[in-house]
């Protein structure tokens, strides 16, 4: 089970469904669609159509998972062990592994003090419209999720 239908939950669900066709995957989202936020309706529908194409994929929309107190280790984003999970609307979902992809906190410990003036209320570095960050005389450009390069100058 994957709790959260945002980008992280959707990516994880697709990877599991693709590489482990013997495993059933259920995405539980509090919204009535996948990938909430600034994504277009066409994008959301395309993602849903792709994931719906996996025979081992199912969805629960408009419901929230109720996690029993003391079950979740705050240092981990998963809960293992066979159990039946209940949603806020009474849906029972059997599971043996739960991935919590519902808005994890930003780990900003490496920059929050040094660049406090460039961090927003959510603890994220504020990025300009061209995906750059101006820190003193250094511009940092985000090219993709795996590569960052620096340019020294004004």
């Amino acid at each position: 089970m994957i709790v959260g239908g945002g980008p992280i939950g959707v990516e994880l669900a697709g990877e599991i469904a693709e590489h482990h066709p013997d495993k059933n995957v259920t995405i539980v989202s509090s919204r009535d669609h996948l990938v909430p936020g600034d994504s277009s309706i066409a994008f959301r529908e395309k993602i849903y159509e792709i994931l719906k194409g996996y025979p081992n994929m199912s969805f629960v929309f408009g419901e929230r998972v109720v996690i029993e107190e003391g079950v979740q280790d705050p240092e981990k984003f998963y809960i293992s062990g066979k159990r039946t999970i209940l949603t806020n609307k009474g849906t029972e979902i059997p599971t043996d592994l739960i991935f919590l992809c519902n808005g994890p906190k930003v780990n900003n410990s490496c920059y929050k003090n040094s660049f406090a003036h460039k961090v927003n209320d959510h603890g994220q570095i504020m990025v300009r419209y061209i995906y750059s960050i101006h820190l003193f005389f250094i511009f940092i450009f985000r090219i993709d999720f795996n590569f960052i390069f620096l340019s020294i100058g004004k």
Side-chain angles (χ1 to χ4, degrees):
M1 173 193 299
I2 296 173
V3 179
I8 295 171
V10 164
E11 173 70 18
L12 182 59
E15 292 292 329
I16 294 170
E18 176 74 25
H19 297 289
H20 301 281
D22 58 318
K23 303 291 182 186
N24 293 320
V25 180
T26 302
I27 297 177
V28 181
S29 176
S30 62
R31 308 291 177 102
D32 62 351
H33 56 272
L34 297 174
V35 197
D38 295 336
S39 58
S40 70
I41 293 171
F43 177 76
R44 293 177 193 160
E45 289 173 353
K46 182 68 174 175
I47 294 294
Y48 177 68
E49 290 301 317
I50 290 169
L51 292 177
K52 193 170 72 168
Y54 290 104
N56 58 337
M57 182 74 66
S58 62
F59 305 89
V60 176
F61 290 112
E63 299 186 39
R64 294 181 183 274
V65 169
V66 179
I67 304 290
E68 304 157 20
E69 195 164 323
V71 171
Q72 181 184 354
D73 180 344
E75 297 296 316
K76 297 179 180 173
F77 293 106
Y78 66 90
I79 301 169
S80 59
K82 286 191 178 286
R83 66 187 79 236
T84 298
I85 292 296
L86 194 65
T87 70
N88 63 327
K89 294 185 179 176
T91 304
E92 293 184 354
I93 306 166
T95 182
D96 57 2
L97 184 58
I98 303 169
F99 291 100
L100 303 168
C101 302
N102 54 340
K105 302 289 183 218
V106 175
N107 181 0
N108 60 11
S109 60
C110 66
Y111 61 79
K112 70 179 177 183
N113 294 328
S114 299
F115 302 116
H117 62 289
K118 294 291 182 180
V119 174
N120 66 19
D121 293 339
H122 301 288
Q124 304 161 325
I125 291 181
M126 295 181 287
V127 178
R128 296 167 42 168
Y129 72 97
I130 58 171
Y131 298 108
S132 70
I133 305 160
H134 183 211
L135 304 172
F136 310 111
F137 293 105
I138 301 172
F139 284 96
I140 302 174
F141 294 89
R142 178 188 164 273
I143 299 302
D144 64 25
F145 291 117
N146 301 312
F147 178 70
I148 294 178
F149 72 91
L150 300 177
S151 172
I152 308 298
K154 289 188 176 182

